[in-house]
Amino acid sequence: MNRITKSDHSFDHYIIDLLNATDDELNEIAKTLGLGLSLQELRFIRDHYLIKEKKATDIELQTYDQTYSEHCSHKTFKGFVNTPEGTINGLLKSYIKKETDEINAPWCYSVFEDNAGIVDLSYEIAVAIKVETHNHPSAIEPFGGAATGLGGVIRDILGVWANPIACTDVLCFGPLNYPYNKLPEGVKHPSYLFNGVIDGIGSYGNSIGIPTVNGATVFDEDYTGNVVVYAGCIGVLRKEEYVKEVKKGDYVVLAGGKTGLDGIHGVTFASAELTKESETTSRPAVQVGNPIEEEKLKRAIKQISEERLGSGITDIGGGGISCGVCETADKYNLGVQIDLDKIPLKAAKMAPWEIWISESQERMLLAVPPKNLEKVIQIFKDEQTDATAIGRYDDSGLAKLFYHEVKIAEIDLKSLFEPPKTTRISAWIPPKFVEPELDVPTDLGLILKKMLASYNIASKEKVVRRYDHEVKGQTVVKPLQGWNAGPNNAAVLKPLEDSLIGVVVSSGLNPRFGKIDPYWMAASSIDEAYRNNIAVGGRRIALLDNFTWGNPEYPDRMGSLVEACKACYEIGKTYEAPFISGKDSLYNESPLGPVAPTLLITALGIIPDITTAVTMDLKKPGSSLYIIGETKTELGGSEYYNLYGYLGNLVPKVDAQNAINSYKKLTTAIDSKLVLSCHDLSDGGLGVALAETSFTGGLGIKINLEKVPVSEEMRLDYLLFSESNSRLLVEVSDNNAQQFEKIMQGTKYSKIGTVTSEPQLEILYLNKKILREPLNELIKAWKTPLEGPR
Amino acid sequence: MKRQDIRVLLMRAPGTNCDLEALRAFRDLEVTAELIHSQKLFKTKNLDDYNIIFFPGGFSYGDYVRSGAIWAKEMEYRIGKELKAFVEKGKPVIGVCNGFQVLVETGFLPAFNGKSIEPEAALGNNTHGYQCRWIRMKKVNKGNCRMLSEIREGTIIQNPVAHGEGRFILPPTNLVKLLEKLYENDQVVFKYCKEDGSPANEDWPINPNGALDDIAGICNPEGNVLGLMPHPERAYYGHLMPTWTSTGLKKYGDGYQFFESIIKYTEKNF
Amino acid sequence: MEIFLKFICLDIQELKTSTWFVIFMRFKAFVYVTLKSGYSDPEGETTANALTGLGYNVVSVRSSKAYEVIFEASDESNAEYLINEMCRRLLTNPTKDDYRIELSEL
Amino acid sequence: MEIFLKFICLDIQELKTSTWFVIFMRFKAFVYVTLKSGYSDPEGETTANALTGLGYNVVSVRSSKAYEVIFEASDESNAEYLINEMCRRLLTNPTKDDYRIELSEL
Ligand SMILES: Nc1ncnc2c1ncn2[C@@H]1O[C@H](COP(=O)(O)OP(=O)(O)O)[C@@H](O)[C@H]1O
Ligand SMILES: [Mg+2]
């Protein structure tokens, strides 16, 4: 029997009879309407309509489809996971949020609630932060995908009434020299994606005038088929402007760009695997960004929040108007009535359901009390953008949609926001890789230069300079340090004119570790983000988690996800760094296989006085150089093994208790103004960190390698290139050395050498010279690979 | 006139985005500075209330067509007469980055023989694409640009640049003659230079965009309209300088003298 | 060809003072804007390098912008006049740009 | 028409293994890249608004890019093949762009 019938109305409007529909029929309906709903969800909806004794309409089912999608409802993170050790009731609840709840930090202002995580900056001011993924669209159309990804996350910040002050981006590509003939059909070349993504982020961020201040660029074979694009945004807001009091009778105001056929079914697309047809079939889901439209929105929203004219706000992202409107209504226990005819359209011919779920960019949704409506609309007009009242909130608990004066949908909001829970199966089997047996190289200097020239370590100037990181005049510690443009550990921003308080942003990710062990990968990422933040003087750190994983319906992908979540709970808790926001992007699979499990940790710290911030460049000849932390034979997933084509097994672990102990002391030393420079040890270990700090400051180094604290006797190459966590290089002026050592007592640290005025890096081992390289050669090796014309 | 009576008009359009730094600088110097949407001015047309007009950087109208072009033409059409009258009174008009582009597109710069109808110069695509980096520029103006007379000739200033279209160029058919004229009129104000002040010789990245003869900023023959690509407003405070953690922190950075000079000049002469 | 009957003034400057019936026609113009020779074209060079890097024997690439403008004018010569004016006033900067127009009636 | 005598390989993939004499010809291709319909074109819209603001009766503007590529190929059909490949691999994104090629021998 045909369960879908067209209504008598002149426009696209279908009635769907779900009564007693069989599984096959349900699947058939989903297929006809292009829905991504699972059978379990379809049955749930069918039963809901049975109880209500009514027929469904196409637009109603489309609404369920949007709301239940992985992208909007996070069903994997909220659902059940059956593991060999038992059932987990929600990864989010059992690990991530649990960590936050148990830490219970009083400075967390609003977490895991709104569009962004919000923490205190001062008594009156708060900082909001959000990081998003935009992988699938960027794989299809790198420029537009990345640009609209950034545009979307900026709207998340606008969506908590905050004023955006900075952006971040973390990008993962296949190797730029990947052979063309090995690319499967439909997969674009890494260098095409690289240029497109960077131009897209740059063009959007620069045009809207928000500096992009921190990020990372990673290259690995496993990203060839699945490019990863994370975009983040940070904003500040006065707490009293954080208005959330939508009431019955308030208007639903849609502001910004017009609604078009672009971006329809973006959500379902983002929650599905990429195939070779994605390029053509997914086309409407990829969009062209218009940063100037968003710039206008930003100005208007700032004024509206300053004058407290709105009662609520949210961005329009995944799921389009349907999600924004229904979520708001449900959040305030209200109902809503929308007149779809009022929505300004780009395209002449759009079906009502298309208008309702279109994800056209640069739109925001405001709730406005009747007395302020006129004023709000005028503010948008003055910025040369549109705002329209498209409906009103009521207390019905229903979303009622009208089109050409016909009621075309009546959706029970409760059923929409309490979807059936999914159950996933997890089974993590640790892989075994070859632990290489390498000869000890004779020329360590040559190896160091090769390490510096590897894509993952080499200078990312070509990326960073494409982004304006100075606009707004608040960037106190910049991504690139000084005239030699060394890699700073974190960015420091000074967002308030009348205060010296600063915001510190850093990030950590270690995808190669994740191929070996997702638990220690996550632990390492947390440690890296945290120690980068500490290194410049940050503290009171909040974390964001962004998971990019393969298809969670495979038990092994799910298993590694569980491992990573466990580490988030355990390591994060020991660091007392609460998670305040995050996002997951699953189903990153391509004809080349799943994406490397990639957890990005973003750390947001504060620094009470930006004038005490520490950069990574050496400052003064004659000062002492210290290493903090212990070096271990942990080269699994290291750049050094990678140089020889190996992955290895011995992945770096994290001794969280000891790490946090030394970090706290380092902060004390920084606050006592004892620290001249500080650089974190990460990719390429000690050797690379020494080279970077040295050529950035234009000063030499002489160290004795035997002074480095080790867990066991180590080969010199391993000692130099091991990527053990929780280590930092610290420069202390000679006359402060004693005081510094006193503070660091009780931690693993050691003075390993001195800063010299000779422009060279000299490493001795038991008085034997094992490496001596002029700084200009090191910097050349580091800068060359990603420099030059594009 | 008294400092607190000085009124600065900062204009903005959709996509202007370096306005708040500039506003902050003027306010720090204790003058009255107002940031106004150009649409509003198109209605009131009252430029006469102001002593200084400042066009901030950004991407006005997305820099579509050409950087600054759309805003420039719109302005010319709507308040062209009023702007021209303002300039002819000798009052300072300054454009930074996108503002410079606007002044070139409206014909207020270089304005060899008064405001031109069509642009006489262009800010073309950078030789190395969009770049955000710190540069050094030297003040080479011999005194014609009186609003900067507080900055000694030969002073080297560190400022950031951030643009994709900022390569100063003149028409190829008449290049040599026009360049000569630019120097003859003492219209060249800032040139990109090396650390020791020697010429960049169009070498990238010392000259970050490939500008003709390393020109970073120019003024009109009368000296009261000034445009430059680098951003003094982003180097206003000491903690914004690129090496403050190693060279020591001062309250103000290299951009301070730029704004201070303009204000002092206005104080003395109006 | 379509013919549009519109309330419109002949002189845009007089918009506020006078309106009367005029028969207007619709035109389509392709405008190609290229950098004058003598200027280096960074985008073109980058593209040429990239194509060479992909293994093609590329001698040179010049990049340009193009606009398809659909507009109204009273007749063909008026249309030609208007589109040239648009080019000079907005679409090009004569210092650096050359342009070429392909005009057709719709 | 010019004829070029060059050391060159026929198959770019084999660049490293084999080289021999081939007669090559030079071609010029104009490539026009336009956004597929259905995509919004902020540049075109902004330009149209600006032109309207200057007093023209502009109905719409679509912005696009164009490249003039001068390259070498063994014959016309090879040239056509190569320029199409360049378009697909670098100059356009088939997802969102349409393109049109005008090829001529030099
Ligand atoms: N994609 C990017 N976007 C913005 N900034 C980036 C990006 N990639 C690298 N950076 C910045 O460049 C600097 C050096 O990066 P990187 O070499 O990855 O540092 P680290 O060694 O600390 O991981 C950092 O300040 C980082 O924020
Ligand atoms: Mg690095």
Side-chain angles (χ1 to χ4, degrees), chain B residues 123-259:
Chain B
L123 293 159
N125 294 67
N126 293 1
T127 45
H128 284 67
Y130 182 97
Q131 298 267 306
C132 172
R133 60 166 71 244
W134 283 75
I135 53 87
R136 295 182 175 92
M137 60 180 186
K138 185 151 95 174
K139 190 193 166 201
V140 296
N141 194 265
K142 310 232 176 306
N144 178 39
C145 186
R146 282 161 61 223
M147 69 176 105
L148 293 185
S149 50
E150 298 283 323
I151 307 175
R152 257 187 303 118
E153 190 189 334
T155 305
I156 299 171
I157 298 174
Q158 297 181 11
N159 270 180
V161 292
H163 58 255
E165 295 176 31
R167 171 167 56 134
F168 181 78
I169 45 185
L170 291 166
T173 42
N174 212 0
L175 193 145
V176 181
K177 241 182 80 198
L178 290 176
L179 189 60
E180 252 169 39
K181 203 163 170 189
L182 211 56
Y183 281 103
E184 236 166 65
N185 293 346
D186 196 17
Q187 286 184 257
V188 182
V189 182
F190 293 112
K191 291 177 67 161
Y192 301 111
C193 69
K194 296 189 183 148
E195 190 173 0
D196 61 4
S198 57
N201 289 326
E202 298 183 16
D203 267 356
W204 179 83
I206 300 162
N207 172 339
N209 52 29
L212 172 68
D213 211 32
D214 303 326
I215 291 172
I218 60 167
C219 64
N220 62 350
E222 293 72 32
N224 69 316
V225 180
L226 167 67
L228 68 162
M229 288 316 296
H231 286 278
E233 76 280 12
R234 298 192 195 169
Y236 187 79
Y237 289 110
H239 57 251
L240 298 173
M241 299 301 289
T243 54
W244 69 267
T245 54
S246 54
T247 50
L249 180 60
K250 300 194 193 75
K251 173 153 191 216
Y252 291 112
D254 282 10
Y256 174 76
Q257 50 192 328
F258 179 88
F259 289 94

Side-chain angles (χ1 to χ4, degrees), chain B residues 64-66 69-70 73 77 104-105 118-129 167 169-172, chain C residues 12-13 35-43 45-46 65 67 87-97:
Chain B
Y64 295 133
V65 179
R66 248 179 354 273
I70 294 181
K73 306 301 161 175
Y77 189 57
V104 168
E105 288 287 339
E118 285 175 0
E120 294 170 318
L123 293 159
N125 294 67
N126 293 1
T127 45
H128 284 67
R167 171 167 56 134
I169 45 185
L170 291 166
Chain C
I12 43 168
Q13 306 292 352
L35 263 182
K36 280 204 157 86
S37 65
Y39 285 122
S40 66
D41 168 14
E43 180 174 353
E45 282 161 28
T46 313
K65 289 193 99 155
Y67 304 93
C87 285
R88 279 203 319 280
R89 280 179 79 190
L90 181 69
L91 301 178
T92 72
N93 176 335
T95 306
K96 68 174 181 50
D97 300 321

Side-chain angles (χ1 to χ4, degrees), chain A residues 520-562:
Chain A
W520 291 115
M521 174 273 272
S524 300
S525 303
I526 294 171
D527 185 65
E528 186 185 9
Y530 196 97
R531 79 176 176 265
N532 272 313
N533 214 289
I534 292 285
V536 299
R539 73 229 33 214
R540 212 211 62 187
I541 289 163
L543 302 175
L544 284 84
D545 56 280
N546 282 79
F547 293 86
T548 291
W549 244 254
N551 185 343
E553 290 158 37
Y554 293 111
D556 62 329
R557 327 273 205 265
M558 200 57 216
S560 71
L561 194 56
V562 173

